[in-house]
Amino acid sequence: MAEPIEQVEGRGCVLRGDDIDTDRIIPARYLRCVTFEDVGEHAFEDDREQAKGDHPLDQESAEGAEILVVGRNFGCGSSREHAPQALMRRGFRAFVGGSFAEIFLGNCTALGLPCATLEAGDLARVMDAVEADPDQILTLDLATRTLQCRAGRFKVGMKPGARDQLLEGSWHATRVLLEAGEAIEACASRLPYV
Amino acid sequence: MAARSLLDKVWEAHTVRELDNGETQLFVGLHLIHEVTSPQAFAMLEEMDLPVRFPSRTVATVDHIIPTHSRARPLQDALAEEMMQALEENCARSGIRLLEPGSGRQGIVHVVGPELGFTQPGMTIACGDSHTSTHGAFGAVAVGIGTSQVRDVLATQCILMARPQLRRIEVQGSLGPGTYAKDVILAIIRRLGVKGGVGFAYEYAGDVIDAMSMEERLTVCNMSIEAGARCGYVNPDVTTVDYLRGREEVPRGEAFDTAARDWLELSSDPEARYDDRVELSGADIAPSVSWGINPGQNLGVDEQLPRVAEFPDDEQPSVEEAYGYMGLQPGAAIAGTPIDVAFIGSCTNGRISDLREAARVAQQGSVASGVRALVVPGSEAVARQAEEEGLPEVFRQAGFEWREPGCSMCLAMNPDKLVGREFCASSSNRNFKGRQGSPTGRTLLMSPAMVAAAALQGAVRDVREVL
């Protein structure tokens, strides 16, 4: 089993904008590798280069931030796991946002990184609050499905399967899948084409 | 028995077990791998001391990093060579078939799967690549997965997945001249948005889809993921069966007839239940061009660029960001936008019918001065067929470069890249910031015929004027 993840506590970093795709999170040229080891250094590299120091990840307050607060459809596009790997290796342990692309969310779950959603109004309040006071500690609690910060305590949404896997520590799916044992072969033998 | 959709039938047949948390352990009938998303998965497997459980159900190809100029080994890019070697070693060690360059079977994973007959109706298909949705054209449930899930499939031939909701999208009537499958899917994404499909599988149907060839259906299903839908499919019909007959990896003789009967029965029952339904009219769809930084930001080539105020309040920041990046003016015509590069290829539009349509336009003139134009066939088989038909010569005479097969400038992991703020008319699938290899490069998505027309004009042009 993997480690159960009940709560993520840490400072936040706000990255505004909808539909931020995985090409932006990690440009394709950094996918030329056979391990994930070095991908963290290149997170949002092109966006940061173009922002000339103004990118949220380049602010002093982003140093050591552990919860990335994002807009809607975060992580859309390519299935590259390099994207959550890069953000994880930069120190992020959870994502809170308007919504998440499906493959990105699955990849995050497989790495033990919760993705939680907030209603639009709540998300705006949390973003404003974190930007105004980046030193505050955010607490994402999976059991109560809440996000606590100085602006208040907000209900978050989570995909039920992902939440359970994280809470139970069964997010390393290989072990769970292996538990099916011979039922896998039995299913295969019923398929006309296998 | 209650009426069932194709999704219901395929899902049930591949269910190993249902977990209490709502996820299904789904058997993966066909696992496709490539060099970018698999090496880490093999390493994880080794760390867990697990073998590949069903090596015969995985097929490998190399596509993302392969150069389209010279494929001589070792590859000039040492990182690409390392990835290529890792794939070769992993496949050899695990007994996995590799469609090697030069074998006549190599190509983009979503081109070779269908054309060799690996992809069949009723399968579940997974690949560490978001455009796996392509294979749904055959009535398969095909999903893109991340590297940890590639590990899961290698170790167990299964994935955990929650059953998606189902949206039926009917495109009725017929398409006008110069309007292609690419325009249909761009119109669907424009209508439903890039996040409209999250949590859904898309079932494409209606007169326009029924009348499409398999290659056209592949184009439509390919971009399901750009609509946010992890998979999209078309119910199998006679077109599907006719396409598959005689393909290398498909059963032969009587076994084929039996399989074909089964395939046709997989189609959604007329009374199947859908979570949502949408209808579009084929006659309303024009040759389309993207103007922004996601594929939903597109319009008919004869339209003016939308004003920011036309969008809902919560979308306006994204629209402004898109205009800022693209350097285009709201209210201006998209036609006439000058281009620097023309790219024909990719898993969306790198098949023989795409090249034929592009060549039909290309033979009418020559590439405008200052425009770099390249044609990258989707596979060695596509290249071979094109050569038999004399297409490379048509393209070369018009001033296009004819290249070796691969993903190429769709995502620019090989040496084919935009430079600086170049504008690229591209038959690929993503116009994301920096997608084509230059951090400031600008992509205009369109059909292959439209790309060819833009190459000749040196600017975006309505292909209907030249057909």
Side-chain angles (χ1 to χ4, degrees):
Chain A
M1 289 304 261
E3 184 198 342
I5 294 160
E6 289 157 9
Q7 219 178 51
V8 179
E9 224 174 31
R11 287 192 297 109
C13 174
V14 177
L15 187 60
R16 291 184 185 263
D18 290 343
D19 307 314
I20 292 183
D21 59 76
T22 52
D23 274 84
R24 283 171 71 178
I25 300 174
I26 179 91
R29 61 186 180 278
Y30 297 116
L31 272 48
R32 286 154 51 245
C33 54
V34 294
T35 76
F36 290 123
E37 264 166 44
D38 299 326
V39 293
E41 334 171 354
H42 304 296
F44 283 105
E45 185 162 301
D46 293 343
D47 277 10
R48 291 164 62 194
E49 177 81 30
Q50 285 161 39
K52 298 187 173 61
D54 281 343
H55 195 275
L57 285 192
D58 290 323
Q59 305 314 302
E60 218 172 285
S61 58
E63 196 67 39
E66 293 177 283
I67 298 178
L68 190 63
V69 186
V70 297
R72 294 179 296 176
N73 201 28
F74 186 74
C76 60
S78 157
S79 67
R80 60 188 70 167
E81 191 170 303
H82 308 66
Q85 286 273 0
L87 296 171
M88 180 176 77
R89 282 159 200 270
R90 254 198 85 90
F92 291 106
R93 295 189 295 130
F95 302 95
V96 175
S99 65
F100 296 90
E102 215 166 314
I103 304 178
F104 180 85
L105 190 151
N107 286 340
C108 286
T109 308
L111 297 176
L113 308 173
C115 292
T117 58
L118 283 169
E119 294 295 335
D122 293 346
L123 179 60
R125 271 190 286 280
V126 170
M127 282 184 160
D128 290 347
V130 174
E131 281 175 341
D133 176 12
D135 288 334
Q136 65 179 302
I137 299 295
L138 278 60
T139 306
L140 175 65
D141 190 286
L142 277 63
T144 59
R145 292 194 194 85
T146 54
L147 178 78
Q148 174 91 47
C149 67
R150 286 198 193 143
R153 193 158 176 263
F154 303 96
K155 204 83 195 152
V156 299
M158 283 192 76
K159 189 171 166 253
R163 175 173 168 267
D164 283 10
Q165 285 168 45
L166 294 163
L167 278 171
E168 288 166 6
S170 61
W171 44 271
H172 191 301
T174 309
R175 293 289 173 212
V176 177
L177 294 166
L178 283 169
E179 284 166 15
E182 293 300 308
I184 299 174
E185 277 72 13
C187 179
S189 68
R190 289 193 300 270
L191 295 168
Y193 66 89
V194 174
Chain B
M1 188 184 280
R4 294 184 304 160
S5 65
L6 178 138
L7 174 66
D8 293 328
K9 297 176 196 180
V10 175
W11 195 269
E12 283 162 27
H14 292 80
T15 296
V16 174
R17 59 179 183 141
E18 278 167 8
L19 275 67
D20 295 337
N21 60 21
E23 303 275 313
T24 302
Q25 177 163 354
L26 210 58
F27 185 83
V28 174
L30 174 64
H31 183 212
L32 300 164
I33 60 172
H34 60 67
E35 74 283 9
V36 179
T37 53
S38 69
Q40 297 90 339
F42 281 102
M44 294 176 196
L45 207 62
E46 202 167 327
E47 215 167 274
M48 295 181 76
D49 201 21
L50 290 170
V52 176
R53 186 136 166 183
F54 288 78
S56 65
R57 308 253 29 115
T58 295
V59 179
T61 187
V62 51
D63 51 11
H64 284 60
I65 51 104
I66 198 158
T68 58
H69 263 311
S70 162
R71 315 157 115 202
R73 299 288 296 275
L75 301 175
Q76 269 189 5
D77 175 355
L79 295 174
E81 176 63 27
E82 188 186 5
M83 295 169 79
M84 182 97 171
Q85 284 182 19
L87 185 69
E88 288 167 336
E89 284 162 22
N90 287 326
C91 288
R93 195 161 4 114
S94 307
I96 290 169
R97 272 175 297 182
L98 170 61
L99 308 172
E100 284 173 272
S103 65
R105 309 176 84 202
Q106 177 266 342
I108 306 175
V109 64
H110 311 308
V111 175
V112 295
E115 77 187 3
L116 294 171
F118 285 110
T119 304
Q120 293 169 21
M123 285 182 168
T124 46
I125 301 178
C127 173
D129 193 291
S130 62
H131 289 112
T132 305
S133 59
T134 311
H135 305 261
F138 289 81
V141 174
V143 294
I145 56 178
T147 294
S148 292
Q149 286 198 297
V150 173
R151 170 203 65 201
D152 294 344
V153 180
L154 291 171
T156 70
Q157 203 60 32
C158 295
I159 53 170
L160 281 183
M161 189 174 159
R163 189 189 179 289
Q165 292 189 283
L166 185 57
R167 174 176 289 143
R168 183 168 162 99
I169 300 173
E170 293 183 10
V171 189
Q172 300 296 10
S174 59
L175 298 176
T179 310
Y180 298 91
K182 179 64 155 288
D183 304 307
V184 171
I185 188 62
L186 284 172
I188 290 171
I189 302 170
R190 182 184 183 187
R191 163 97 169 260
L192 297 172
V194 292
K195 26 193 177 287
V198 174
F200 280 92
Y202 279 1
E203 177 178 297
Y204 302 103
D207 310 329
V208 168
I209 306 290
D210 290 346
M212 281 183 179
S213 69
M214 287 314 297
E215 295 197 350
E216 293 172 304
R217 294 176 187 181
L218 285 161
T219 299
V220 171
C221 291
N222 172 273
M223 289 183 69
S224 301
I225 187 66
E226 313 313 334
R230 201 169 175 184
C231 59
Y233 67 83
V234 177
N235 286 307
D237 61 7
V238 176
T239 305
T240 320
V241 171
D242 287 347
Y243 177 95
L244 285 166
R245 190 178 284 112
R247 304 256 158 199
E248 276 179 54
E249 298 294 330
V250 165
R252 295 186 182 275
E254 223 170 284
F256 180 83
D257 297 332
T258 309
R261 269 194 300 276
D262 291 347
W263 292 339
L264 294 172
E265 282 176 17
L266 290 165
S267 287
S268 292
D269 300 333
E271 302 302 316
R273 198 187 65 79
Y274 297 93
D275 300 288
D276 190 30
R277 283 174 182 269
V278 174
E279 197 174 307
L280 281 80
S281 163
D284 293 343
I285 300 173
S288 299
V289 186
S290 71
W291 54 267
I293 55 171
N294 72 53
Q297 293 172 331
N298 75 75
L299 80 178
V301 65
D302 48 4
E303 291 177 62
Q304 267 93 47
L305 291 161
R307 310 259 175 204
V308 178
E310 292 171 35
F311 293 86
D313 287 353
D314 62 344
E315 282 179 29
Q316 292 183 6
S318 292
V319 172
E320 278 168 359
E321 184 188 4
Y323 276 124
Y325 183 84
M326 297 298 288
L328 295 171
Q329 291 308 316
I334 188 76
T337 305
I339 64 152
D340 308 289
V341 178
F343 170 63
I344 295 170
S346 86
C347 61
T348 311
N349 281 126
R351 298 182 182 82
I352 190 67
S353 54
D354 299 315
L355 304 191
R356 284 181 191 137
E357 287 304 312
R360 205 149 72 87
V361 175
Q363 70 188 2
Q364 299 183 33
S366 40
V367 172
S369 80
V371 172
R372 188 157 52 103
L374 57 159
V375 184
V376 181
S379 71
E380 292 180 352
V382 170
R384 207 163 48 236
Q385 180 63 33
E387 275 152 23
E388 274 175 32
E389 298 178 22
L391 302 185
E393 210 32 50
V394 172
F395 284 119
R396 283 197 198 101
Q397 282 202 350
F400 289 80
E401 297 175 46
W402 175 259
R403 298 288 190 84
E404 302 274 7
C407 298
S408 179
M409 210 187 267
C410 173
L411 84 169
M413 280 189 71
N414 76 345
D416 308 331
K417 296 178 199 308
L418 297 185
V419 181
R421 294 193 79 209
E422 280 180 334
F423 262 121
C424 179
S426 181
S427 74
S428 56
N429 41 56
R430 288 186 175 141
N431 51 341
F432 297 156
K433 287 180 171 182
R435 170 75 178 181
Q436 293 191 284
S438 161
T440 52
R442 296 175 283 181
T443 303
L444 303 167
L445 300 175
M446 56 188 88
S447 71
M450 282 278 286
V451 174
L456 303 194
Q457 182 79 8
V460 175
R461 183 176 190 189
D462 190 335
V463 71
R464 292 173 294 197
E465 294 168 9
V466 291
L467 281 176

